């Protein structure tokens, strides 16, 4: 079934650890997004990709990095996690001027 | 850069009343305007969308209107029910491989029984 998948759903990790949040979509969408969202609050765009090997930073400054080596895969990496990174991270994908689909999200807690 | 402003940030209504959420966009070339509903603890999901070649679209109790001249669009929910309580996001985008979907800041709607 065509969908967008995020793993893990929940992650508790110690300060200073390196983490990678996975996002994959099976809809063939060129555009993929990473948002940071505190519960019930604004969607803050932190990374955007409009195709393979094309990425740009979003409006909210983030210490994370992304890569887009394959159309379907858009992982986000934090080299050294800090408590300030505690949040929910939502991945999304869309076609050109079409509906965006969101993943279930990863709730990250850095202790 | 392109910007989407959304008002109000919070909205409280009585069950059965109507609710209206408004958005304005800055890019006159925008041609696609979706609305998303995010229930507590869940991911945002599309509830209705409209393209720039139409002025209004309805789906049961929800409707969206678009005024291209004024660059604003609105979500209308009639006969509100407690299950309509959620955060609603508007968004806008234009065609073209480089262009991305831009979201408003969201409106928290509370429907009281």
């Amino acid at each position: 079934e065509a969908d967008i998948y995020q793993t893990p759903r929940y992650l508790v990790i110690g300060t200073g650890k390196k983490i990678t949040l996975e996002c994959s979509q099976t809809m063939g969408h060129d555009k993929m997004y990473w948002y940071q969202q505190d519960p019930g609050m604004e969607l803050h765009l932190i990374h955007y990709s409009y195709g393979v090997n094309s990425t740009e930073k979003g409006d909210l400054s983030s210490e994370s990095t992304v890569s887009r080596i394959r159309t379907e895969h858009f992982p986000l990496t934090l080299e050294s996690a800090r408590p300030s990174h505690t949040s929910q991270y939502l991945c999304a994908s869309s076609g050109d001027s079409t509906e965006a689909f969101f993943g279930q999200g990863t709730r990250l807690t850095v202790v | 850069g392109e910007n989407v402003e959304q008002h109000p940030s919070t909205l409280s209504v009585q069950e059965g009343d109507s609710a209206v959420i408004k958005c304005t966009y800055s890019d006159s070339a925008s041609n696609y305007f979706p609305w998303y509903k995010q229930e507590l603890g869940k991911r945002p999901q599309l509830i209705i969308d409209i393209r720039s070649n139409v002025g209004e679209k309805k789906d049961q109790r929800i409707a969206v209107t678009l005024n291209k001249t004024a660059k604003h669009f609105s979500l209308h929910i009639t006969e509100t029910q407690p299950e309509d309580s959620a955060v609603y996001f508007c968004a806008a985008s234009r065609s073209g491989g480089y262009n991305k979907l831009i979201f408003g800041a969201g409106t928290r709607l509370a429907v009281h029984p």
Side-chain angles (χ1 to χ4, degrees), chain A residues 32-106:
Chain A
M32 295 189 75
Y33 312 76
W34 275 105
Y35 295 92
Q36 185 174 338
Q37 184 189 38
D38 292 324
M41 303 298 283
E42 187 172 354
L43 292 163
H44 292 287
L45 181 68
I46 52 176
H47 295 285
Y48 169 61
S49 169
Y50 52 92
V52 171
N53 293 326
S54 71
T55 62
E56 64 178 44
K57 289 189 177 293
D59 303 320
L60 182 68
S61 177
S62 174
E63 294 162 346
S64 59
T65 59
V66 292
S67 62
R68 188 89 183 276
I69 299 172
R70 303 197 317 266
T71 298
E72 62 271 21
H73 194 214
F74 192 40
L76 181 146
T77 298
L78 270 170
E79 290 292 332
S80 180
R82 295 207 303 269
S84 60
H85 296 136
T86 294
S87 188
Q88 175 171 247
Y89 293 83
L90 282 166
C91 181
S93 72
S94 73
D96 188 23
S97 288
T98 62
E99 175 184 358
F101 292 85
F102 286 83
Q104 300 258 34
T106 295

Side-chain angles (χ1 to χ4, degrees), chain A residues 3-4 9 31 33 35 37 39-43 45 48 50 56 59 88 90 94 96-104 107, chain B residues 31-32 34 36 38 41-46 49 51 87 89 93-106 108:
Chain A
D3 206 344
I4 179 164
R9 290 288 310 279
K31 306 185 184 193
Y33 312 76
Y35 295 92
Q37 184 189 38
M41 303 298 283
E42 187 172 354
L43 292 163
L45 181 68
Y48 169 61
Y50 52 92
E56 64 178 44
D59 303 320
Q88 175 171 247
L90 282 166
S94 73
D96 188 23
S97 288
T98 62
E99 175 184 358
F101 292 85
F102 286 83
Q104 300 258 34
R107 291 190 184 276
Chain B
N31 60 358
Y32 176 63
Y36 289 82
Q38 186 179 26
K42 297 189 177 181
R43 54 181 149 178
Q45 292 194 301
L46 182 78
D49 56 10
R51 297 191 180 274
V87 179
F89 294 96
S93 74
R94 60 187 291 185
S95 298
Y98 177 80
N99 298 299
K100 56 184 175 285
L101 199 58
I102 305 294
F103 281 89
R108 182 184 301 275

Side-chain angles (χ1 to χ4, degrees), chain B residues 21-87:
Chain B
I21 302 170
K22 299 180 179 181
C23 289
T24 58
Y25 58 98
S26 60
D27 184 357
S28 57
S30 294
N31 60 358
Y32 176 63
F33 308 92
W35 285 89
Y36 289 82
K37 176 183 181 182
Q38 186 179 26
E39 297 177 355
L40 188 64
K42 297 189 177 181
R43 54 181 149 178
Q45 292 194 301
L46 182 78
I47 54 171
I48 195 168
D49 56 10
I50 192 168
R51 297 191 180 274
S52 58
N53 58 344
V54 298
E56 184 175 4
K57 184 177 179 180
K58 290 183 180 180
D59 183 4
Q60 299 182 356
R61 294 187 297 107
I62 61 173
V64 57
T65 58
L66 172 64
N67 183 327
K68 288 187 293 183
T69 303
K71 292 191 287 186
H72 67 69
F73 56 113
S74 301
L75 178 70
H76 304 255
I77 306 174
T78 58
E79 301 173 24
T80 54
Q81 301 167 2
E83 51 265 38
D84 294 329
S85 297
V87 179

